[in-house]
Amino acid sequence: MAETNVADTLVEYLSSRGVRNIFGVLAHTSFAIGDAIAKRPHMRFINAQHEGGAGNMALGYARATKKPAVCLVSAGGGATNIVTAVAQAHKESVPLFVISSDIDTAASAKGAFSSFHGMEHVRLFQPITKQSAKLERVEELGSLLDTLFRQTTRGRQGPVFFIVPEDLQHESLPEPLSFAPTAEPVAPAMDTGAAQSAVDLLLQAKTPVVLAGTGVDWAGAREEVRELAELLSLPVAVSYTAKGVFPENHPLALGCLGFGSRPYARKFFQESDLILALGATFSEGTTMRFGHEIIPEKAKIIQIDTDPEELGSNYPTALSIQADAKIALRAIIDGVKSRQPKANGARAQAIRQAKQAWRNDLDEKTAKSGLTYESVMKTLNDLLTGNEILTTSGMTGDTLRGIDAETPIIHAGEFRAIGTALATAMGVKLGRPDARVICVTGDGSFMMEQQELATATFHKIPIFVLILRNNAYGGMKRDQMKTYGGRVIGTELFIPDLPKLAELYGAKGFAVTKKEELKPVFQQALA
């Protein structure tokens, strides 16, 4: 029986699970794993400039493909550099499989203070992963790989962290592992009584609304949300993190709630007597710091989520259902259809009027002004065709408010990390090469990850990067000035000539200083 080593077996396992792109930065302690990737021409290693960039690319790739994304980092600083991306994946329930090398077993035994890169990797990642584990014996490889990889998508999705010491990467396995795929578990059927109770509450309500979260997108339930909304003329808003999960060109779309929302979205929720929450957590960003500024105090709530810990955790519910959103919605839709309700066209008309009034005000404001955030977003919005995926950070609120999204906008969500949108856009493009990918970011956010332009050039990843420049961490500077008598510290920045910087990285750079220049420059960049 031919022997095979741990590094080759690890990479072959990933290949058998459909992994084709691995993001990361190599080092001496991970060379064996890198070489195993190099021997497989159908697999691609996307080497970033920084492990944080690799982690953000993986986040974008997982969001775009709805599949686990894989990162490879090295012992010590390589692992600590990806902590922020892993923490974001944990908070936003994104499936990442992060592999880290470690120093060899003999050096590790000397203690963390004596060896190169020595540190306690397992405990560092435990609070921000579903599981953090280290390979101690080669015989454990098969069971650890299967357990960890499955965990990324089972139940509430999230990241896992797997450490493989350098010396064990070269060790031979006593016998080859079997990579026979295991059937994914079938999601449990929706409880008939719960579905009937949800239908009763919906039909009894006078002004019901829907709140759709990212759980709808991961469950592949966007079409079911549309069908139910049209059956009952339900206004649909999405959570702060789920902009575009319900297409905003739909007559019943309110856009996102909370920070970055449009004013009419809040109005419809304040008038509601029932909220059907689907894969949404009633988060701080969505509810404007909890309370009842968005969520009316007397409204009944039906909450459907795969994670039982989320049910009723922030607001009391009239009905809590632990279920997959797609299966739950299908049962509710069937129940509604059996009752043959009449749709109320007046609600769609009211949304259309509110949306048009807001848009008229925006058009009037931008017509009178020069180059502003609003005019930039309006120009970009007018050029979108529906085949674009936007990523954003540093300008998240303005992007959420100004764009009519037909597909989900991808951003750092409630983790609110800046310095992420550029690398995330690159991961999205690799996962969805058919889409036009646009990164909208602030200048301060961009400077944190500008080196990843080199990665985009090296790997030929075509994206459009739109940087809103104000030589500051703009939102923080604004709030600092309001709160501290106009005093500013630590929020103003030196920003270099960004078009020249882009050219140094092998990209094309444009500078727009007048509103009239926006459309032709955007058209050229989008082409």
Side-chain angles (χ1 to χ4, degrees):
M1 187 177 293
E3 290 187 342
T4 181
N5 69 22
V6 165
D8 270 308
T9 303
L10 167 61
V11 175
E12 188 58 32
Y13 174 86
L14 296 175
S15 176
S16 74
R17 296 303 182 261
V19 174
R20 296 296 176 263
N21 292 287
I22 298 175
F23 305 88
V25 177
L26 279 182
H28 288 83
T29 53
S30 57
F31 277 173
I33 299 173
D35 188 57
I37 299 168
K39 288 188 286 189
R40 290 162 173 81
H42 64 284
M43 300 182 79
R44 186 180 181 190
F45 185 68
I46 312 296
N47 54 306
Q49 302 296 307
H50 186 276
E51 289 85 356
N56 289 320
M57 285 181 226
L59 283 163
Y61 186 85
R63 289 284 303 272
T65 62
K66 304 297 183 289
K67 296 176 182 178
V70 178
C71 296
L72 174 62
V73 296
S74 60
T80 59
N81 279 345
I82 205 171
V83 164
T84 300
V86 174
Q88 181 179 319
H90 181 62
K91 191 167 177 63
E92 300 301 322
S93 303
V94 179
L96 294 190
F97 186 82
V98 183
I99 302 162
S100 174
S101 60
D102 198 359
I103 57 177
D104 65 65
T105 310
S108 182
K110 300 294 185 184
F113 293 102
S114 302
S115 55
F116 285 133
H117 312 304
M119 58 173 274
E120 179 48 82
H121 293 82
V122 174
R123 284 193 296 162
L124 175 68
F125 283 88
Q126 278 174 342
I128 54 172
T129 58
K130 294 184 72 176
Q131 185 175 346
S132 178
K134 180 177 179 177
L135 183 67
E136 304 283 359
R137 297 168 58 244
V138 294
E139 291 83 2
E140 298 171 341
L141 180 64
S143 60
L144 269 176
L145 278 175
D146 246 0
T147 298
L148 290 167
F149 199 82
R150 281 201 307 266
Q151 278 206 56
T152 62
T153 55
R154 296 283 170 91
R156 185 172 189 140
Q157 300 183 141
V160 298
F161 192 74
F162 183 38
I163 302 117
V164 186
E166 181 185 14
D167 55 323
L168 294 191
Q169 294 171 33
H170 301 275
E171 288 285 318
S172 297
L173 273 70
E175 58 183 32
L177 297 180
S178 169
F179 298 129
T182 301
E184 285 297 311
V186 177
M190 174 73 165
D191 178 77
T192 305
Q196 190 59 52
S197 296
V199 172
D200 290 342
L201 287 167
L202 281 166
L203 296 182
Q204 290 163 11
K206 293 181 179 179
T207 53
V209 293
V210 173
L211 173 60
T214 52
V216 166
D217 193 30
W218 285 105
R222 295 174 65 194
E223 182 58 26
E224 283 75 12
V225 174
R226 182 201 59 77
E227 187 176 350
L228 181 62
E230 291 175 357
L231 270 173
L232 295 176
S233 296
L234 298 172
V236 180
V238 297
S239 66
Y240 172 72
T241 59
K243 169 88 169 178
V245 163
F246 190 75
E248 292 183 5
N249 58 352
H250 193 284
L252 292 165
L254 297 174
C256 71
L257 280 185
F259 296 106
S261 67
R262 296 171 182 176
Y264 56 82
R266 185 184 309 182
K267 173 180 178 290
F268 278 92
F269 260 70
Q270 275 294 312
E271 294 172 351
S272 68
D273 60 356
L274 178 89
I275 298 170
L276 174 61
L278 304 164
T281 64
F282 290 100
S283 65
E284 183 176 9
T286 300
T287 63
M288 302 283 283
R289 299 193 171 95
F290 310 110
H292 298 288
E293 189 173 348
I294 302 290
I295 308 301
E297 191 168 4
K298 294 183 179 179
K300 294 180 179 178
I301 295 174
I302 304 171
Q303 189 173 6
I304 299 174
D305 204 286
T306 56
D307 185 355
E309 296 302 316
E310 288 295 344
L311 299 173
S313 63
N314 291 331
Y315 292 87
T317 58
L319 180 62
S320 293
I321 302 174
Q322 183 188 0
D324 174 86
K326 190 179 184 76
I327 291 172
L329 281 169
R330 181 46 55 195
I332 293 170
I333 289 167
D334 291 343
V336 168
K337 284 182 175 179
S338 71
R339 307 271 282 272
Q340 298 182 333
K342 291 183 180 179
N344 179 5
R347 303 195 79 192
Q349 177 66 18
I351 292 172
R352 184 161 48 249
Q353 290 173 349
K355 193 178 293 186
Q356 191 58 53
W358 173 81
R359 194 168 297 286
N360 289 343
D361 287 343
L362 179 64
D363 289 346
E364 185 178 345
K365 183 179 179 180
T366 53
K368 294 177 180 177
S369 63
L371 187 65
T372 62
Y373 292 153
E374 290 86 0
S375 63
V376 172
M377 292 302 168
K378 183 180 185 303
T379 304
L380 177 62
N381 192 57
D382 290 344
L383 293 172
L384 299 180
T385 65
N387 188 41
E388 293 83 13
I389 301 176
L390 273 65
T391 69
T392 186
S393 66
M395 288 299 304
T396 303
D398 293 278
T399 309
L400 298 184
R401 190 177 299 108
I403 298 297
D404 292 315
E406 294 182 46
T407 54
I409 288 180
I410 297 173
H411 61 98
E414 299 288 343
F415 198 59
R416 294 174 67 86
I418 61 173
T420 62
L422 172 61
T424 300
M426 292 158 59
V428 170
K429 183 63 180 179
L430 288 167
R432 284 284 308 279
D434 58 306
R436 294 200 298 186
V437 179
I438 303 170
C439 162
V440 181
T441 185
D443 52 358
S445 179
F446 171 77
M447 289 301 293
M448 291 184 176
E449 56 172 345
Q450 43 88 14
Q451 70 276 1
E452 297 305 340
L453 282 179
T455 307
T457 299
F458 183 75
H459 289 287
K460 298 180 173 59
I461 305 171
I463 56 173
F464 170 26
V465 184
L466 172 58
I467 303 167
L468 284 296
R469 178 172 180 159
N470 55 17
N471 301 302
Y473 298 125
M476 289 187 282
K477 179 181 176 182
R478 174 200 62 213
D479 295 341
Q480 196 176 56
M481 292 176 70
K482 285 181 183 176
T483 309
Y484 296 99
R487 291 186 299 279
V488 171
I489 182 171
T491 53
E492 293 181 319
L493 303 169
F494 168 77
I495 304 295
D497 186 322
L498 294 177
K500 285 185 179 178
L501 182 68
E503 289 172 8
L504 289 172
Y505 279 120
K508 268 193 190 302
F510 305 90
V512 173
T513 57
K514 297 178 182 176
K515 182 173 68 174
E516 294 73 24
E517 298 170 347
L518 285 168
K519 185 175 180 180
V521 170
F522 284 4
Q523 287 174 324
Q524 188 176 352
L526 287 168

